[in-house]
Amino acid sequence: MDHKSIKMASIERQVDEESNAGDVIKNSVKTLISNQKQFFNSNATKSLDFRIEQLKKLKSAIKSSERELLDAVFADFQKGSFNTLVTEFSGVYNELDLAIRKLKSWSKSKRVTTHMANLPGASYIMPEPLGTCLIIGAWNYPINLNLVPTIAALAAGNTVILKPSELAAHTSAALSKMIAKYFDPRVLTVVEGGVKETTELLEQSFDKIFFTGSVSVGRIVYQAAAKHLTPVTLELGGKSPLIIAADANLTIVVKRLVWGKFVNAGQTCVAPDYVLVDKRIENSFLDILKEEIKLAQFSLENENYAQIISERHFDRLVSLIDPKTVLVGGEHDRSRRLIAPTVLTNIAGDDKVMEDEIFGPILPVLTYENVEGAVSFVKSRPKPLALYLFTESSSIRERIFSEVSFGGGAVNDVLVHLANDELPFGGVGNSGTGSYHGEAGFKAFSHYKSFIRRPTWFEPPLKYYPYKDWKLAVIRKLFGM
Ligand code: NAD
């Protein structure tokens, strides 16, 4: 065989192997889904006892695997145990306890009033599970972002196929191992992998898709879901602004800003992406910011300062640092994938760093002359996932919160709205659709079935022949026509 035909044979073999691998994925995905659908249709997941048992099992699985999960997150991007427990596990345990405690009341049918025209009768709204759900997670909080939606789906009585991000590969493997050990795969199972596996999953028909990730992949998921008319929740990202008014109590709020921006090395979907500060206090703000960054000890020397998840993400972030604009930081080390907390000043709205979500430890600072200017700047961009406002003034707060649309946010703090399970968490417009956390999560994975129950002892003659003027007059009255 000549060199050319050897090469052709090898390419053909590779194509064969790849399509065989593709077939294996397709077949095993199809089997998993069909087994889950069959199990769901047996009605086994619908009883409250069954659901509570799954939630308790998940809690004890996490408790027993805690060390392994913490080590996996550290192996993925050097995120230390303290930070992982505070920013990931706390939310997971809280959601589990809340769901176990509240499940009975969340899943009760609710009686609502019945319109006069339908009397006698009684109207109800009855939550029911959607069926077999696909949850696709992001890598940046790889325990929380995979398990919190899973808790909501199980609480609502669904079966779940979970696809964690391949970028946090150790955590994905640890979750898969834990879930395989404790769960019947007909109820909950993990499919590991990247684009190929996710694409295969997305071709199948699910009863719900819950996706956390970027806007661009969110579009792919939405299109795939549309093919099967599958309902989706999309938890996406975007550029979340932090507006600082001239009256802000800088010594307190800047401490909160520094923690919220640089924890996880800025790889937080709701981290403030950029600051808009009142021009009159720019200098004092920057002085305090510099000091706080020093105190916070997020630095290349801190062995718990999170790494950037991949070299690709590292290179993208470094390309956003224009040395002429660096006020603080700018140091980076590619071999360890670390970037120091970096503050950029003299930034304009059309600079490169202001184009896409930064998702790293880089904070551009822009100034504004008046509140109108800040409002119109934010409103000229896609609706953000979060908006933060540092001010002591209720009129500034009312103005900005009533005029600007955003997913959720806080006054005089950052990130904290996530930690209240009474607050539905989600985006709007480009930053996402739908919400979860607490009861909102249960709702995201439920269908609210409506029905009227009517007795048979009386049937008003209004809508039947013979049509009479008096009947129409009563109908007009009943409906305010
Ligand atoms: P990503 O969109 O790259 O990946 C998310 C998931 O999609 C992963 O599981 C990945 O395997 C899968 N995926 C990637 N490319 C795909 C493709 N072409 N087809 C099908 N599936 C594909 O996002 P990421 O890098 O993991 O996370 C970063 C983004 O997620 C940021 O934009 C961030 O703001 C956002 N995010 C949002 C939230 C939220 O709660 N709203 C939370 C965390 C992260």
Side-chain angles (χ1 to χ4, degrees), residues 135-140 142 145-146 149 162-166 210-213:
I135 296 176
I136 304 174
W139 52 265
N140 57 327
L145 296 176
N146 287 307
L162 172 64
K163 211 299 290 177
S165 170
E166 71 282 16
F210 186 104
F211 171 79
T212 305

Side-chain angles (χ1 to χ4, degrees), residues 6 134 187 192 209 219 243 249 278 337 344 348 457 459:
I6 291 173
L134 172 64
V187 179
E192 286 196 84
I209 300 176
R219 279 201 184 94
I243 302 173
N249 180 352
D278 188 310
R337 302 198 317 269
L344 309 178
W457 54 265
E459 178 59 356

Side-chain angles (χ1 to χ4, degrees), residues 299-329:
S299 72
L300 303 197
E301 287 71 47
N302 182 343
E303 62 190 19
N304 282 313
Y305 180 52
Q307 291 173 310
I308 304 306
I309 192 70
S310 72
E311 285 176 356
R312 183 172 60 85
H313 287 71
F314 178 94
D315 293 340
R316 179 185 61 81
L317 286 165
V318 170
S319 78
L320 298 176
I321 305 175
D322 173 356
K324 293 194 298 293
T325 62
V326 172
L327 176 78
V328 177

Side-chain angles (χ1 to χ4, degrees), residues 136-141 145 163-167 193-195 198-199 202 211-218 220-221 234-238 268-270 312-313 357 359 385 425 431 436:
I136 304 174
W139 52 265
N140 57 327
Y141 287 85
L145 296 176
K163 211 299 290 177
S165 170
E166 71 282 16
L167 293 185
V195 176
T198 317
T199 306
L202 287 172
F211 171 79
T212 305
S214 60
V215 175
S216 56
V217 181
I220 295 172
V221 171
L234 301 174
E235 296 285 342
L236 310 178
T268 303
C269 57
V270 283
R312 183 172 60 85
H313 287 71
E357 179 183 5
F359 218 57
L385 181 59
F425 172 69
S431 55
Y436 72 132

Side-chain angles (χ1 to χ4, degrees), residues 6-75:
I6 291 173
K7 202 168 167 198
M8 272 312 290
S10 138
I11 290 171
E12 277 163 14
R13 204 169 45 245
Q14 201 182 329
V15 168
D16 273 356
E17 277 168 12
E18 276 178 15
S19 60
N20 283 345
D23 287 346
V24 171
I25 298 171
K26 193 193 286 296
N27 290 336
S28 57
V29 156
K30 277 188 167 163
T31 309
L32 282 177
I33 298 171
S34 135
N35 290 346
Q36 287 209 352
K37 288 196 166 178
Q38 221 174 331
F39 190 70
F40 179 79
N41 284 330
S42 75
N43 293 320
T45 66
K46 289 187 179 163
S47 84
L48 287 193
D49 286 347
F50 180 87
R51 301 189 208 178
I52 287 174
E53 187 194 319
Q54 305 311 307
L55 296 172
K56 288 187 172 162
K57 195 166 23 173
L58 185 54
K59 187 170 178 183
S60 73
I62 298 167
K63 228 23 242 111
S64 331
S65 318
E66 203 172 276
R67 189 66 261 161
E68 218 169 296
L69 293 170
L70 288 169
D71 290 346
V73 178
F74 190 83

